[in-house]
Amino acid sequence: MSRRNIYLQTLSVAEALERARKVLDRDALVAAETISTEEAAGRVTATAVHARFSAPPFHSAAMDGYAVRAEETFGAREDAPLRLVPGSGCHPVNTGQPLPEGTNAVIKIEDVVPQADGGLLIEAAAFPWMHVRRIGEDIVATELLLPRNHQLSPYDIGALLTAGVWEVRVWEPIRLVFIPTGDEVLDFTTRPTPAPGQVIESNSQIFCALARTWGAVPRRLSPVPDDRARLRAALGEALHGDAHVVVVGAGSSAGSKDFTRAVFEEFGEILAHGLAVSPGKPSLLGVSREGKLLVGAPGYPGSAIVCFEEILAPLVAWLGRRPAPERPRIRARLARKTPSRLGSEEILRLAVGRLDDGHIAVPLGRGAGMLTSLTRAQALTRIPADSEGLAEGAEITAELLVPASTLARTLVHVGSHDNILDLLADELMGLAEPLRLASANVGSLGGFSALKSGAAMVGGCHLFDPQTQDFNFPFLRRYLPDLPVSVVNLAIRDQGLIVAPGNPKNIRTLQDLAREDVRFVNRQRGSGTRILLDHHLREAGLDPRLIQGYGREEHTHMAVAVNVRGGAADCGLGILSAARALDLDFVPLAAERYDLVVPERLLEDPRIQTLLDLLRSPVLHRKIAALGGYDTRLSGRMMREGMGLGAA
């Protein structure tokens, strides 16, 4: 068996970057090149640039009017206008034209009174160089136009051409090669269908897309299996090319098939292995004997992206003499308590929206393999290495992943998961004035907690009270007694046991969950589905400890369905639409009411009004019904205590 890599010492991101900058010789590694000025926007000057021509290159009119010698107009006033004769010390000019010989001022055409005999009257004197662009007013020939290591903007291109600079010396773009690795990795270019244990390779394309935003030139090689000799060959090929940086995807961790470190050591020196940041710990840095940067990026996408953005982006910027990428920052209030491990900085993904005079931030999924929490995130925040986490309501600095203007058009939903929320998110973004729905799936009681702390605009819940046979209101009285709220129905939905196609284990009742051959997957504590399950287990007199998998928790109905679809569980409690989405079978258990809870003080908020209007739309009702397992007879209606499921 191959020797495992051990993280003997983890470094902070700042320490790892400093090591790389000290070892890399960017003057030797990155060359300069001469390119046409019109193609140079976004590039970085390698030498100072001086103007060849002045701009303007002559005294020119800054206005349409008449060029005159200013001294000859002195004495003109309103009660004693001065007469001018075109062609005799007074010459018509248009904006940008050279001043005629002997003139030094322009009188605007609207300040001249034409006379019937062709003469002109002026009622105010001109002063020297009035309405005139003097030679070299903007640019003087031979002066420094731009310094070295300046990133060229579109405006710079105009200035360069105006100054007669047809070519410019710039640093070559940083070239990067990405080598995906792994026996389980499928080449996305073949459009494969993954079997169990296989994944579609996508990290390279995240990397390439990010690299292009850095002004770099990325290239991807075909995936390499977990074979040391083949990885060595691929790395050698990349290093003998024109790349400045070679990135190996996956294989940088401590597994027996992780060969990246060992192969890097064959080609050069290891600078850092193991970063004090989560996700992203397995990141690896080295330098080849040719002086090129070697990077081992983790395989999980969340970790890989941290490696790309925290390590690669600043080093590529430094090599290319560009400013390091920076995100806009805002202050926000955290929606819920978020624990964290001591010893490593944690990068936390957030859903963010503007509420009242500030912003609210809801933590999203934290797993290194959870790419969708980044597609849904509006911002990131950092939990310091010496902190055990952040308290609910904590003031944090959030680094924006979206334009700040979008936060005022974001609805923040915290609460129970339902597939209708995905439908709502798409419908809201399809409006003439789109709204973004940022949703955090933390269960019904988690939604109540966020509403109580003012960290959510909408809470989703479906809590059934056996004593009153009502939904949500008994729990609102208990958990939100001092918060005036309105409750609007999203839909009535079917809950039941999600089982494999054909129900091969013939699971028909809750009693079947206690069978030794049945593996169950549960929802998290505090979710309405978990509360519903526990109620029915009590009704059936069934001890949860007899259920294999009762303690295994998922946070969404679709996650439960995926477990059943993939064979990791035989059944789980969830909604019919989740079962239908993955072509699974369904054993009905109960109908329940899923409501949205809105603080009354927010009812007049335009975003809430838009949501309520959409919920009342017959078109939306038809789309909800098409998902399967939903009844829309109450959808969009304001609920009152005791309504239950309404009239059948």
Side-chain angles (χ1 to χ4, degrees), residues 367-383:
M370 296 182 67
L371 184 56
T372 54
S373 63
L374 274 167
T375 66
R376 295 173 180 173
Q378 284 77 48
L380 306 173
T381 195
R382 297 169 190 269
I383 304 177

Side-chain angles (χ1 to χ4, degrees), residues 45-58:
T45 56
T47 60
V49 184
H50 295 81
R52 294 182 61 232
F53 305 142
S54 295
F58 46 78

Side-chain angles (χ1 to χ4, degrees), residues 365-415:
R366 302 164 76 178
M370 296 182 67
L371 184 56
T372 54
S373 63
L374 274 167
T375 66
R376 295 173 180 173
Q378 284 77 48
L380 306 173
T381 195
R382 297 169 190 269
I383 304 177
D386 59 357
S387 170
E388 293 188 46
L390 301 172
E392 181 178 330
E395 284 286 323
I396 61 169
T397 297
E399 302 172 27
L400 293 182
L401 302 174
V402 298
S405 60
T406 66
L407 301 182
R409 297 199 57 77
T410 298
L411 268 168
V412 178
H413 164 273
V414 181

Side-chain angles (χ1 to χ4, degrees), residues 413-418 420-421 424 444 447-448 451 458-464 470-474 476 486-493 592-598 611 615 634-645:
H413 164 273
V414 181
S416 183
H417 170 258
D418 190 275
I420 296 176
L421 296 174
L424 274 181
S444 298
F448 288 174
L451 290 169
V458 180
C461 59
H462 55 104
L463 298 168
F464 175 68
D470 199 10
F471 291 89
N472 301 321
F473 283 97
L476 288 170
S486 291
V487 178
V488 60
N489 179 246
L490 184 66
I492 296 169
R493 64 186 193 177
E592 64 175 9
R593 202 180 76 209
Y594 185 108
D595 294 333
L596 298 177
V597 180
V598 182
L611 174 65
L615 291 176
L634 297 178
S635 296
R637 287 180 55 182
M638 289 294 179
M639 296 290 98
R640 299 186 308 278
E641 196 162 357
M643 290 183 69
L645 294 175

